[in-house]
Amino acid sequence: MSAWYYYRLRTMSFAEILFRIRQYFQKQREFLFHSHNLPSSKLLGYTNRILNSKFESLKLFPNKISIFGKDFDYMSDHINWQSDIFSGKSFPLIFSKKINIRTNPKFSAKNVWEINRLQFLPQIAINFRISGNQEYITHFIKILSSWIDQNSYLKGINWYSNIEVNIRLTNWYICWQILDVEQIASENKQFKEFIDTKWIPSIYQHCYYSYHNPSKFSSANNHLISEYAGLFAASSLWKFKETEKWLKYAKSGLEKEILLQHSSGINKEEAASYIQFITDFLLLSFIIGENTSQPFSKQYIKQLQKIFYYIYNFLDCNSNSPKYGDADDGKCFILDFDKNFNNFKSLLTSGSIIFKDSKLKSKSNGFDMKNEFLFGESGKMVYDLIPNISYSESSQFYKEEGHFIFRKTSNKEEIYLHFNCAPLGFLSLAAHGHADALSFVLHLDGQPVIVDSGTYTYHMEPEWRKYFVGTLAHNTIRINKKNQAINAGPTLWLKHYISTVIDLYQDEEIERVKATHNGYEKEKAEHIREIVFDKIKNEFLISDTINIRKKRTLEVEIMFHIHPEITVDLLPNCFLLNTASGKKTELCIDEKLNPVVIKGQTKPQILGWFSESFSKKTATNVIYCYTQIYKTTTFKFILKVL
C-alpha cells in the first residue's frame, strides 16, 4: 500500500499536491465535527415537473434487479446498505473518509456502491404510475427511509466517493420527475412527512457534499462530469439558499469538461463502455437546461452532436461496440431493465430527436421507454417525422485521436475492424485505460470474431486485474514480457506511451494505417504496425516490425484473442475462424512463428480469458506466438474474410 501512495504522488503536479493537502485538512475538520454540525437548510421551493411522461401502458417491473449477474431483491424488509452481496461482508459504519476500500482484495466497495446508487427507485416510482397502487409509495418510503437511517452524513462507505453521491442525486431527481410529488403529498401524510423530515434533508446533504468534494486534477475524469451533472439536475429542481451558486458552478463545469474530455466526440478516457455512461449525464443536463430556460452554449451542443456521431460510427451493423479500455456496466440511470437493452442505440434515438437527424435514427433503438421519459409525446412526434433512410457506411479514420474504423458493407454484410492507435488514457492516472497500443478487433456481420479481452474486475483479485489491463490480454505485441506502460495500481498507470500515426491512405480499393508507439523505449525497441485493407479481396495484411536499437535478444509475444462463440480449425500455417452463421475468416501466421492455441490458462501466466461483462469471465481461445529476435524483424499476418 505504501508503494501505491508513492506512485500516486508521482502522478500529481505541485498544484494538485496543494489541493490534496487542503482536502486532508478538510477531512480532519469533518472527522471532528461532522456528527455535531450536519449540513442542513430549509427547502425554499422546487420547480414543476419538466419531464412529464406517461407510463400507464407499460407492464409492472419485477421486484429484483441484477447486480453483476446476481439477483438483488430491493423490496426486502431488511437491507444492509453497507454489505457486499457477493461476500456477505460489510464495511464499517465509521467516518467515510477513514475507510480503506483496498484492504481486502476479496471484498469490493463497487459491489456495495452498485446497489447504493438506488437505480431501482425509479422502477418503483414507475410501478406506482402504472398501477396507482399506494403500496408502491409505501415501499418507496420504506426503502429510502432505510437508506437514509443507515447512512448518516459522512458515515459509512456510501459517503466515500462523490460520483456515488451524484448518481444517487440523479436518480432521486428522476424519481421526483416520475412522481407527482405535490399531489401525492397532499393525499398521503406519511409521504409528506417523509419528504419534509428525511428526503429533503438528505438531498441537501448530497448537494452540499457534491459541491465541497470535487474530483480535481488527476481525478477529473468521468467522476467530475457526474458530479457537475448530478448537482446541476438537483439545483435545477430543489431550491435551497445556495442553489444559484451551485447551479452556476455545475453548469460552468459541464461546459468546460465536455470540451476538455472529448476530441472529435471521442472520450479521452479511452474506455468504450464509459462513452454511454458519460453521455447520459451530458444528455440529461442538456434536456434539463432546455426545459428550465438555462440552455447550454453552442459549443456544448456541437460537442454533444459529435459524441452522437462517434457512437454512430463505432457501432457495427448489429450495434456492437468495439471493446477498449475499462467496462464496468455502469449507467447514469436505468429505466429499462431488459438485459438486451442497448444504451448506445437509445442514445442515438435521443440524438436523432435533438438534431432531427435521420442518420442517427437509422441505427437507433426506436422510441424506447428511456426516451419517452426524456422527451415525452412531443419527442415521439419529432422522432416519427424524421425520415427513415438507409445509409451505406464506410470507414472512419480519426487520425488525431488514434481511432481507425475499417469498414466494408455490401448486401447487408459487413466487415468491421477497429484499430487502436490512441493514447493510454486521460490525465496522469489514465485510470480506465488499458495497455493496448496498436491492438485491433474484428467483427463480421455484427459478430465479434477477434476481440479485446474485456475488464472483469477493478480492485478485487489483483492478479486478474493486472492481466486484463495488460498488453498480454490484447491483440498486439508484448516485448520482454512487459506492459507497454507501467501498471502501478488497479487504476493507476505510469510512463504513459505516446502513439504516433506514421502514414495513412484511403481510396476505393485500398485503405492503410501505419502507426507506432514508444512504450518499449527502455527495452531499446520499437513496435511499428501497419494494417492494409484490400476491399476487393476482403483481406487485411498486418505487418509488425520490431526495430531493435541496441544489439540484444528480445522476447516477442503476439496474440490474437478469439471470441468464445467462434470455433477455431487448424489449417497448414493458418487458422480458420468460424462464426455460428457460417462466415469464415482465415488467419495466416508468419512462417517464422510457431503459433499455439491456448485456452483458459492460469499458469505459468494467465492467458486465454474473455470478460463479456463486469465480474464475469470465461475461457476462450488465444492464438499465441512466441519467439526471440536479435535484430530488426518484420512479421506478416493475413486476415482474409472468405
Side-chain angles (χ1 to χ4, degrees):
M1 185 56 66
S2 59
W4 181 88
Y5 282 111
Y6 166 71
Y7 291 133
R8 182 69 179 88
L9 189 64
R10 285 177 57 182
T11 68
M12 297 182 189
S13 65
F14 179 70
E16 180 171 3
I17 291 172
L18 292 179
F19 172 72
R20 300 298 175 190
I21 291 171
R22 289 196 297 271
Q23 280 191 318
Y24 172 79
F25 285 109
Q26 175 183 320
K27 181 173 76 173
Q28 299 311 309
R29 289 194 302 273
E30 288 171 339
F31 175 65
L32 292 173
F33 303 115
H34 75 277
S35 61
H36 305 292
N37 298 302
L38 296 179
S40 64
S41 179
K42 182 180 179 182
L43 181 68
L44 303 178
Y46 54 86
T47 60
N48 294 327
R49 288 159 66 198
I50 62 170
L51 304 175
N52 199 7
S53 305
K54 296 179 180 179
F55 299 103
E56 285 77 3
S57 61
L58 300 174
K59 294 181 180 179
L60 292 174
F61 286 108
N63 295 341
K64 294 181 179 180
I65 60 169
S66 177
I67 303 294
F68 305 135
K70 185 178 179 67
D71 281 345
F72 171 70
D73 183 358
Y74 58 80
M75 300 293 268
S76 171
D77 288 337
H78 303 288
I79 298 175
N80 181 348
W81 298 105
Q82 322 300 319
S83 176
D84 173 358
I85 62 172
F86 289 86
S87 68
K89 296 181 179 180
S90 297
F91 282 95
L93 260 175
I94 59 175
F95 178 62
S96 60
K97 296 180 182 181
K98 295 284 188 179
I99 297 173
N100 188 337
I101 66 170
R102 296 179 176 87
T103 54
N104 190 337
K106 295 184 179 180
F107 182 25
S108 173
K110 183 164 179 56
N111 294 340
V112 181
W113 288 334
E114 195 71 15
I115 292 171
N116 284 270
R117 291 178 172 185
L118 304 181
Q119 292 178 322
F120 49 82
L121 284 179
Q123 190 166 312
I124 299 174
I126 292 171
N127 279 352
F128 171 73
R129 284 286 302 276
I130 294 170
S131 67
N133 188 337
Q134 288 290 327
E135 287 187 8
Y136 287 109
I137 293 297
T138 301
H139 281 296
F140 187 92
I141 295 169
K142 181 179 178 182
I143 291 169
L144 194 43
S145 293
S146 168
W147 190 92
I148 293 168
D149 290 343
Q150 289 187 39
N151 291 275
S152 301
Y153 184 67
L154 292 184
K155 193 173 183 180
I157 191 66
N158 296 313
W159 289 100
Y160 180 93
S161 173
N162 202 2
I163 187 175
E164 304 304 323
V165 167
N166 283 278
I167 290 175
R168 273 195 300 277
L169 261 185
T170 301
N171 281 274
W172 289 356
Y173 171 90
I174 287 169
C175 288
W176 196 284
Q177 293 293 323
I178 293 170
L179 299 169
D180 189 342
V181 172
E182 189 171 2
Q183 179 65 30
I184 298 171
S186 68
E187 298 172 351
N188 187 323
K189 291 183 179 179
Q190 182 189 14
F191 187 63
K192 185 178 188 315
E193 182 180 2
F194 158 74
I195 291 174
D196 293 340
T197 63
K198 288 186 180 291
W199 200 8
I200 292 299
S202 191
I203 288 169
Y204 179 80
Q205 289 168 1
H206 278 64
C207 292
Y208 184 92
Y209 185 99
S210 175
Y211 180 77
H212 288 280
N213 293 274
S215 297
K216 294 289 189 177
F217 296 98
S218 58
S219 300
N221 51 14
N222 68 86
H223 285 232
L224 187 56
I225 287 179
S226 75
E227 291 159 17
Y228 287 140
L231 189 57
F232 179 74
S235 300
S236 297
L237 175 57
W238 299 291
K239 304 304 177 184
F240 300 102
K241 61 183 181 181
E242 301 100 331
T243 289
E244 291 307 313
K245 176 179 70 174
W246 292 344
L247 201 56
K248 183 179 179 180
Y249 158 84
K251 187 169 184 288
S252 173
L254 287 166
E255 290 274 10
K256 179 182 177 182
E257 292 303 319
I258 193 175
L259 299 176
L260 280 178
Q261 297 196 36
H262 296 84
S263 177
S264 298
I266 301 177
N267 184 264
K268 293 180 182 179
E269 284 202 80
E270 301 303 335
S273 177
Y274 270 66
I275 294 170
Q276 56 79 31
F277 177 67
I278 295 167
T279 306
D280 266 341
F281 285 110
L282 300 171
L283 169 65
L284 182 61
S285 299
F286 167 78
I287 293 170
I288 292 170
E290 290 290 299
N291 290 341
T292 57
S293 301
Q294 303 172 92
F296 283 83
S297 68
K298 291 181 180 179
Q299 291 90 339
Y300 184 101
I301 297 168
K302 186 177 180 180
Q303 189 70 281
L304 188 62
Q305 186 176 34
K306 287 181 180 179
I307 294 170
F308 286 128
Y309 263 87
Y310 179 63
I311 292 172
Y312 173 88
N313 286 326
F314 94 148
L315 295 183
D316 70 16
C317 64
N318 200 30
S319 297
N320 294 306
S321 62
K323 288 180 180 292
Y324 58 82
D326 274 341
D328 63 7
D329 303 350
K331 299 290 189 296
C332 170
F333 59 92
I334 304 172
L335 292 176
D336 193 322
F337 286 81
D338 184 343
K339 65 180 180 179
N340 297 316
F341 177 76
N342 186 322
N343 198 38
F344 281 117
K345 292 177 68 176
S346 182
L347 283 166
L348 293 181
T349 298
S350 303
S352 69
I353 294 168
I354 293 169
F355 299 105
K356 299 179 176 59
D357 192 312
S358 59
K359 195 168 189 178
L360 297 178
K361 181 181 180 179
S362 69
K363 256 187 181 179
S364 74
N365 237 5
F367 195 76
D368 55 33
M369 179 179 169
K370 176 187 167 190
N371 282 287
E372 179 185 339
F373 168 75
L374 294 174
F375 297 100
E377 298 218 0
S378 62
K380 187 175 190 308
M381 290 176 62
V382 172
Y383 183 80
D384 290 342
L385 288 172
I386 299 170
N388 294 306
I389 301 174
S390 296
Y391 291 86
S392 178
E393 294 186 74
S394 58
S395 299
Q396 298 292 326
F397 285 6
Y398 295 87
K399 179 182 177 182
E400 297 303 317
E401 294 74 27
H403 288 272
F404 298 91
I405 300 167
F406 296 89
R407 178 186 265 120
K408 177 183 176 181
T409 56
S410 176
N411 298 322
K412 297 184 179 181
E413 295 184 336
E414 180 184 68
I415 299 171
Y416 174 108
L417 185 144
H418 176 269
F419 183 31
N420 186 349
C421 311
L424 176 63
F426 187 50
L427 302 176
S428 60
L429 296 180
H432 292 294
H434 290 186
D436 56 1
L438 310 190
S439 184
F440 73 92
V441 298
L442 174 71
H443 296 186
L444 298 179
D445 301 340
Q447 166 69 59
V449 177
I450 298 177
V451 295
D452 180 286
S453 295
T455 299
Y456 179 55
T457 188
Y458 282 172
H459 299 295
M460 298 176 69
E461 302 178 83
E463 289 306 310
W464 286 98
R465 174 62 176 171
K466 290 176 184 176
Y467 167 70
F468 276 101
V469 303
T471 303
L472 186 64
H474 299 89
N475 305 308
T476 185
I477 286 180
R478 189 170 78 156
I479 294 176
N480 287 345
K481 299 190 175 180
K482 295 181 180 179
N483 287 324
Q484 298 160 338
I486 297 175
N487 183 228
T491 52
L492 174 59
W493 290 97
L494 304 176
K495 301 288 186 183
H496 299 192
Y497 53 75
I498 297 174
S499 299
T500 304
V501 177
I502 300 171
D503 184 36
L504 58 83
Y505 175 83
Q506 285 182 284
D507 66 21
E508 292 182 357
E509 296 183 1
I510 297 292
E511 294 178 335
R512 178 177 70 247
V513 178
K514 187 176 184 180
T516 186
H517 69 88
N518 66 350
Y520 289 116
E521 277 188 342
K522 193 173 180 181
E523 307 305 313
K524 306 299 181 185
E526 178 189 25
H527 174 205
I528 301 171
R529 171 167 279 182
E530 181 182 61
I531 296 183
V532 180
F533 182 26
D534 187 325
K535 292 185 282 188
I536 304 302
K537 295 181 179 179
N538 293 339
E539 180 178 283
F540 294 93
L541 173 62
I542 301 171
S543 299
D544 286 311
T545 298
I546 310 298
N547 282 336
I548 298 182
R549 294 173 177 164
K550 182 179 180 181
K551 190 174 181 180
R552 61 185 300 195
T553 299
L554 295 181
E555 294 182 272
V556 175
E557 297 166 286
I558 310 172
M559 295 72 63
F560 301 91
H561 296 78
I562 312 302
H563 191 277
E565 294 180 3
I566 303 300
T567 60
V568 180
D569 295 327
L570 179 61
L571 303 174
N573 290 324
C574 295
F575 295 89
L576 194 63
L577 312 179
N578 309 284
T579 70
S581 64
K583 182 77 77 173
K584 299 180 184 296
T585 306
E586 193 174 70
L587 171 60
C588 295
I589 306 295
D590 192 293
E591 291 183 353
K592 295 189 290 292
L593 298 167
N594 294 305
V596 295
V597 177
I598 296 174
K599 183 176 183 179
Q601 176 180 286
T602 56
K603 293 180 180 180
Q605 62 183 357
I606 299 173
L607 184 61
W609 295 89
F610 176 72
S611 175
E612 181 67 36
S613 58
F614 194 76
S615 199
K616 291 186 177 181
K617 67 180 186 297
T618 186
T620 196
N621 289 311
V622 175
I623 297 170
Y624 173 79
C625 309
Y626 173 86
T627 190
Q628 294 184 344
I629 61 174
Y630 59 92
K631 63 181 180 179
T632 294
T633 306
T634 297
F635 302 99
K636 293 186 180 293
F637 308 89
I638 297 174
L639 263 175
K640 186 173 181 60
V641 180
L642 304 177

